[in-house]
Amino acid sequence: MKPILTAKNLTKSYAKGILALNKVSFTLDQGKVLVVMGPSGSGKSTLIRTINGLETFDEGELNVLGIKISADSDERKIQRIRRRVGMVFQQFNLFPHLSILENITLAPIQVQKRNKKEAEEYGMKLLCQMGIESHAKKYPGQLSGGEQQRVAIARSLALKPELLLFDEPTSALDPERINEVLDAMRRLADQGMTMIVVTHEIKFAMEVSDQVLFIDSGKILEISSPEVFFSNASHERSRKFLNQIN
Amino acid sequence: MSKNKKKFFQILLVFAFLGFLGILINNLIINLARTGLGFNFNWLTKPASFSLAEHPLPYSPSDSYAWALFIGWMNSLKVIISSLVLATCIGTLIGFLRVGKNSFFSIITAGYITVIRQTPLLIQLMCWYFVGFLNMRNNSFLSISNIFNISNKGIELFGLNLSPEFSALLFGLSIFSSAFIAEVIRGGIQSVPLGQWEAFRSLGISEKQGFFKIIIPQALPAFIPGLTSQYLNLAKNSTLAIAIGYSDIYAINDTIINQTGRAVECFIILLCSFLILNLLITKVMGIIDKSIMKSGI
């Protein structure tokens, strides 16, 4: 399996001595699902956001899809990564002034310069996959949280990404809406999509992930298979965390 | 308080207000009678017999007061509308640079906003007029062939000649208002959640495209109330024209009061004109607001 992502000694510090990331190193192979877990403020969001350049880092090296970036890499290189890596946010972040279909076709038309009809056809296909094709003409404000998040997933798929990043995709949802989003993510994983998911959903992690990464205070404490992590975590901090969220 | 007591106090308040109004009107009538003028608008048709330096339509001293007032209105509208357009352009540009990523421009524009907002408009106008335009070299201070020429004779643009008084007022009002408009623009842009920036960035959309296609459309509704109040201020501030000798509606009214003593009638005309103009501005901005609301969100 060829690695899609390699992080080497990623370090980021906030004001005076607080390390958001502390020498973070890991690899992710194509077609694998990595779940990132950790207490709040542990750096899991920072980690996933450095991968597509929403956060900068101070030291170390990142290789995403063969594009190498370091602390001083320019905007253009990061732009190249963003065109091949999709992201789904906790707060959906749909564009409220655009219709659902326009939300999805904006990037293909603006970034990839595809013609409108082609982009719309592909957009409708993605909406069908997510089971929300009937909402294409509506605006984000008219949809439920779960539906909005599925639109956000469809939007992140519109550029045909090779890697998808999920930053707590179900944390802002009503409990009864969580499963529709997790099911959509599960289907993507089954189709062979490479994914990094920051989440607290243990059931999802157990069933879907290939690896679980546990991070605390900016440091990776362990990377294990879900079987090992959830039944026999090697690090005491991980066991404590699992006890707390169970 | 019981319902009846409440009603009683409200009625009392209405009577107190009417009584106060009555005293004012009574005073006015007594004073008008004393000056022997009486309240009427017949004098409007008499010849004004003063000359005007600037008149967009033909005017001579033998024309009526009414026509002089109309010319004053044309002058006022000319400077209000052109300042409104110029102030919006400068203010929007400054606002954009203020929130932009370039820290050099950000600091420069922050300084501009601070200096302009913290000094009185009257002093700025005087400064533009006396230091700016009247002190310039005779023929051409800044000249680009025959298209654009700034000198102590004002501004010449495509053969259109703008007097130093008009130019100073245009610059003064535009620059003063632009600093406030820049803050309105900045506030509007910053009211758009940070997640919207992250969302377009994560899709590989460039900063420029994202700014104009994602951020600005969402900031527009937040611009309107602030812009409306700045436009109303600009219209009202234009009456400071009298300080630098530009013949706007207020300056002409002032001359007429001196000549005729018709202060009451003149101020009624002035107040009504500005009331109508500003209601019009509010109405137009309301229509723009509605059309923005309709187009999404």
Side-chain angles (χ1 to χ4, degrees):
Chain A
M1 276 288 170
K2 77 173 192 209
I4 270 205
L5 171 73
T6 314
K8 236 187 261 166
N9 291 326
L10 283 185
T11 300
K12 180 187 176 78
S13 57
Y14 286 125
K16 280 170 207 146
I18 301 163
L19 285 176
L21 296 175
N22 187 356
K23 298 210 167 124
V24 169
S25 301
F26 68 96
T27 30
L28 180 66
D29 289 338
Q30 189 172 9
K32 300 288 183 192
V33 176
L34 173 72
V35 161
V36 178
M37 292 194 138
S40 76
S42 60
K44 50 190 193 305
S45 269
T46 311
L47 173 61
I48 199 172
R49 287 153 57 88
T50 50
I51 293 167
N52 69 347
L54 288 182
E55 297 265 1
T56 57
F57 51 95
D58 304 324
E59 282 167 50
E61 206 185 72
L62 202 57
N63 184 328
V64 188
L65 304 162
I67 304 164
K68 278 186 191 159
I69 51 172
S70 50
D72 52 2
S73 284
D74 63 347
E75 197 69 18
R76 266 219 208 120
K77 255 187 174 172
I78 291 167
Q79 203 78 267
R80 271 170 58 206
I81 291 178
R82 285 174 179 167
R83 288 172 191 191
R84 294 168 63 188
V85 176
M87 188 167 201
V88 176
F89 300 87
Q90 182 179 350
Q91 301 294 343
F92 332 135
N93 295 349
L94 295 178
F95 307 129
H97 61 299
L98 300 179
S99 75
I100 299 304
L101 191 56
E102 285 166 341
N103 261 276
I104 292 168
T105 57
L106 182 74
I109 292 170
Q110 296 296 327
V111 176
Q112 295 181 328
K113 309 286 173 210
R114 280 200 241 161
N115 75 54
K116 198 179 165 200
K117 208 179 153 215
E118 190 191 335
E120 282 181 349
E121 271 169 19
Y122 189 62
M124 283 310 293
K125 210 177 118 192
L126 289 172
L127 285 177
C128 286
Q129 249 181 56
M130 292 291 144
I132 36 177
E133 66 277 13
S134 58
H135 297 317
K137 293 270 181 301
K138 290 185 186 164
Y139 283 83
Q142 298 168 279
L143 270 57
S144 74
E147 288 163 343
Q148 287 193 50
Q149 194 60 303
R150 283 185 282 158
V151 174
I153 295 174
R155 182 176 69 176
S156 75
L157 289 169
L159 292 176
K160 300 182 178 157
E162 292 149 79
L163 168 65
L164 268 188
L165 309 172
F166 292 85
D167 190 0
E168 301 204 29
T170 56
S171 299
L173 297 176
D174 292 332
E176 73 270 24
R177 291 291 188 175
I178 289 176
N179 277 329
E180 61 189 64
V181 172
L182 291 180
D183 287 344
M185 290 165 64
R186 191 168 312 195
R187 282 198 300 275
L188 284 174
D190 290 345
Q191 288 163 20
M193 177 61 78
T194 318
M195 293 161 44
I196 301 179
V197 186
V198 175
T199 186
H200 296 301
E201 296 295 328
I202 292 177
K203 193 163 165 262
F204 175 83
M206 281 206 273
E207 292 170 7
V208 181
S209 75
D210 298 290
Q211 278 181 309
V212 177
L213 184 158
F214 184 76
I215 186 171
D216 189 22
S217 305
K219 214 172 169 72
I220 295 181
L221 295 185
E222 67 173 297
I223 303 180
S224 330
S225 68
E227 293 83 15
V228 173
F229 184 79
F230 291 109
S231 59
N232 191 17
S234 61
H235 207 280
E236 204 209 310
R237 187 71 190 84
S238 325
R239 287 199 294 269
K240 212 174 142 195
F241 172 76
L242 286 172
N243 273 334
Q244 275 166 348
I245 62 170
N246 252 335
Chain B
M1 212 185 288
S2 75
K3 229 179 178 180
N4 277 339
K5 240 184 184 175
K6 242 186 196 171
K7 232 178 212 164
F8 172 74
F9 275 109
Q10 274 178 5
I11 289 168
L12 205 70
L13 203 69
V14 169
F15 275 113
F17 178 72
L18 286 178
F20 180 67
L21 210 65
I23 292 170
L24 282 184
I25 292 171
N26 187 45
N27 259 354
L28 184 66
I29 291 168
I30 291 170
N31 283 331
L32 281 175
R34 195 178 294 155
T35 53
L37 285 170
F39 182 82
N40 66 63
F41 285 95
N42 298 337
W43 51 273
L44 274 173
T45 53
K46 287 181 186 149
S49 66
F50 55 80
S51 59
L52 287 175
E54 234 166 293
H55 43 87
L57 293 170
Y59 170 84
S60 73
S62 58
D63 284 325
S64 67
Y65 282 121
W67 186 245
L69 284 172
F70 183 71
I71 297 288
W73 251 119
M74 298 310 285
N75 281 340
S76 278
L77 285 179
K78 191 170 99 178
V79 81
I80 290 170
I81 291 168
S82 49
S83 302
L84 201 138
V85 173
L86 191 60
T88 309
C89 294
I90 301 173
T92 307
L93 184 69
I94 301 277
F96 283 0
L97 292 176
R98 179 80 185 84
V99 292
K101 269 187 167 176
N102 187 319
S103 53
F104 172 75
F105 283 129
S106 186
I107 292 168
I108 294 281
T109 49
Y112 173 92
I113 292 168
T114 308
V115 170
I116 302 293
R117 289 210 308 169
Q118 257 68 264
T119 50
L121 173 58
L122 182 62
I123 291 171
Q124 286 183 31
L125 282 178
M126 298 295 227
C127 191
W128 280 108
Y129 186 55
F130 289 108
V131 182
F133 282 97
L134 288 192
N135 254 5
M136 270 177 201
R137 265 182 284 137
N138 236 348
N139 279 320
S140 56
F141 168 74
L142 181 74
S143 175
I144 303 165
S145 58
N146 279 330
I147 301 168
F148 188 70
N149 186 23
I150 298 183
S151 70
N152 66 347
K153 293 189 187 75
I155 301 175
E156 213 181 301
L157 188 70
F158 297 115
L160 193 75
N161 216 325
L162 308 175
S163 71
E165 289 79 19
F166 176 82
S167 307
L169 195 61
L170 172 69
F171 270 65
L173 282 177
S174 303
I175 295 215
F176 185 75
S177 304
S178 75
F180 291 88
I181 289 174
E183 285 294 271
V184 170
I185 301 290
R186 181 174 74 104
I189 291 170
Q190 286 177 343
S191 74
V192 179
L194 215 60
Q196 293 292 315
W197 293 82
E198 293 184 339
F200 80 69
R201 281 175 187 149
S202 77
L203 288 166
I205 293 169
S206 71
E207 291 291 304
K208 199 176 122 193
Q209 279 185 328
F211 185 70
F212 287 109
K213 289 208 182 293
I214 303 299
I215 305 302
I216 290 299
Q218 292 183 63
L220 276 179
F223 290 161
I224 302 301
L227 281 182
T228 307
S229 84
Q230 289 315 318
Y231 290 164
L232 297 181
N233 280 340
L234 191 149
K236 291 181 282 185
N237 286 340
S238 73
T239 50
L240 284 174
I242 196 169
I244 53 175
Y246 178 70
S247 351
D248 80 325
I249 181 80
Y250 179 56
I252 288 175
N253 263 290
D254 194 65
T255 311
I256 295 176
I257 293 171
N258 278 335
Q259 280 189 3
T260 62
R262 298 273 175 188
V264 178
E265 292 90 333
C266 276
F267 275 103
I268 287 174
I269 291 172
L270 263 178
L271 293 175
C272 289
S273 341
F274 273 99
L275 195 66
I276 290 166
L277 174 66
N278 275 350
L279 284 175
L280 211 69
I281 291 177
T282 311
K283 183 78 196 161
V284 170
M285 293 305 279
I287 291 169
I288 293 174
D289 194 32
K290 248 187 206 150
S291 73
I292 287 172
M293 287 297 178
K294 240 186 208 165
S295 70
I297 308 181

